[in-house]
Amino acid sequence: MDKVYVIGDVHGHLKKLQHLLRDAQLMDAADQWIGKQALLCFIGDYVDRGPDSIACLTLIMELQRQAEQVGGRVLTLLGNHDVGILSAYFLQSEPSDGPGGTFLRDWERNGGRKNDLRLLTATHVEWMLRQPAMARHGDLLLVHADATLYYQYGNTIEEVNRNIAAVLHGRDGEAWDYLLEQFGNRMDFIDDDVLDREGTAEARHFLKQYGGTRIVHGHTPIMKITGKRAVEVTKPLIYAEGLCVNVDGGMYLGGSGFI
C-alpha cells in the first residue's frame, strides 16, 4: 500500500465523483481502477440529496472489487444518510420518533429520493450492511461524523462496528431511531466558548479511546463552519490544534469536492 487518498460526502453526485477520481489518477475514463496499490478512503454518505445515489454506490462497489485485485484498497465507511436509506428500505411505514412520523418520511425529509429506493437492489443493501462505522489506518482514525456518538456503541473500534451492525441487522425501531438521532450530532471537536464546549480536549479523549493521532471525518460541510461559499472550498479543514481533518467539501451544496 503506498499513497492514501480520502474523499468526503458524495451525496449522489456521480459526475463530480468521476471527475475527482479521474483527476487524481485513481480511475480512468472507462471507470476502471488505475490507482495500483493506493488506499482510497470514502468517509460515508454516498446517497441522498444528489441525482445519482445508486449509481455512486455501484461505482464505489466496483472500484473496491477492482482495487483488491491489484493490491490496492477502497475503504468505505457508514454515514448517517446510508443508515437513513437502509431504515427506509427495511422499516418503511413503521412509526418513528423523527419529524416525518415514519422511517420512510424521515428519510425523504432528510434528502431521500423515492426513485433511489426503487433502484436499490439486495446487492447494494448487503454491501451497505457490511460497512464499518469506524476504521483506523496507521495514525489516522477514520469516522464519518465529527461527533462522539460512537461512545454509545463501544469502547473499541471493533465493538462499535459490531454493535452498530447489530442495530442494522435487527428490526428494532427504537434502536434505529436512537442511532439516527445520535448520527445527527456534529461539531463536537470544535471549541465553542458560547456553548462551553472544549472540542480540542474532546478530540484528544476520542483519540485516546479509539487510537490514532488524527481524526479524519466528513458529515459537516466545511463551508458551514468557515462561512465560505461552497465553490471556495477546495481543501480539507484542519482544526483542533491539528488533531482533526474535515473532508466534507459540500458537494450537495454546490461544491466541487476534493480528494
Side-chain angles (χ1 to χ4, degrees), residues 209-223:
Q209 182 68 53
Y210 296 113
T213 60
R214 179 172 275 188
I215 301 165
V216 181
H217 69 82
H219 191 51
T220 302
I222 292 169
M223 61 282 302

Side-chain angles (χ1 to χ4, degrees), residues 50-236:
D52 298 301
S53 291
I54 309 308
C56 285
L57 285 177
T58 300
L59 175 61
I60 293 166
M61 292 165 62
E62 180 59 20
L63 289 176
Q64 195 171 58
R65 184 190 67 79
Q66 293 174 14
E68 187 176 357
Q69 291 179 340
V70 295
R73 185 184 177 195
V74 176
L75 187 156
T76 47
L77 296 182
L78 187 75
N80 60 301
H81 283 266
D82 312 316
V83 174
I85 195 172
L86 288 172
S87 75
Y89 180 86
F90 285 120
L91 303 176
Q92 298 199 14
S93 59
E94 290 192 24
S96 75
D97 291 333
T102 68
F103 287 95
L104 178 60
R105 289 175 183 166
D106 290 345
W107 169 68
E108 289 174 336
R109 287 173 66 109
N110 201 27
R113 300 185 177 197
K114 283 187 176 180
N115 192 52
D116 290 338
L117 207 55
R118 287 191 286 267
L119 294 172
L120 194 66
T121 68
T123 301
H124 295 118
V125 171
E126 289 166 6
W127 180 84
M128 294 173 76
L129 288 173
R130 292 195 301 269
Q131 302 317 304
M134 309 178 77
R136 192 167 68 239
H137 178 75
D139 291 333
L140 300 178
L141 179 60
L142 300 152
V143 294
H144 173 69
D146 48 339
T148 59
L149 72 103
Y150 304 94
Y151 292 146
Q152 308 297 319
Y153 293 93
N155 295 318
T156 66
I157 291 174
E158 293 76 19
E159 190 176 8
V160 170
N161 289 336
R162 184 169 61 250
N163 288 334
I164 289 180
V167 173
L168 301 184
H169 282 85
R171 299 298 171 261
D172 183 341
E174 290 186 4
W176 281 81
D177 255 332
Y178 185 74
L179 177 57
L180 288 164
E181 178 187 4
Q182 291 297 305
F183 241 144
N185 296 330
R186 62 183 75 244
M187 293 192 274
D188 285 350
F189 307 128
I190 293 179
D191 294 314
D192 192 319
D193 293 336
V194 175
L195 297 177
D196 194 27
R197 181 173 59 207
E198 297 181 356
T200 301
E202 189 61 71
R204 288 197 182 95
H205 182 270
F206 196 77
L207 287 164
K208 183 178 180 180
Q209 182 68 53
Y210 296 113
T213 60
R214 179 172 275 188
I215 301 165
V216 181
H217 69 82
H219 191 51
T220 302
I222 292 169
M223 61 282 302
K224 291 192 175 183
I225 299 171
T226 63
K228 290 184 177 180
R229 295 181 302 139
V231 294
E232 297 177 307
V233 176
T234 58
K235 61 182 181 180

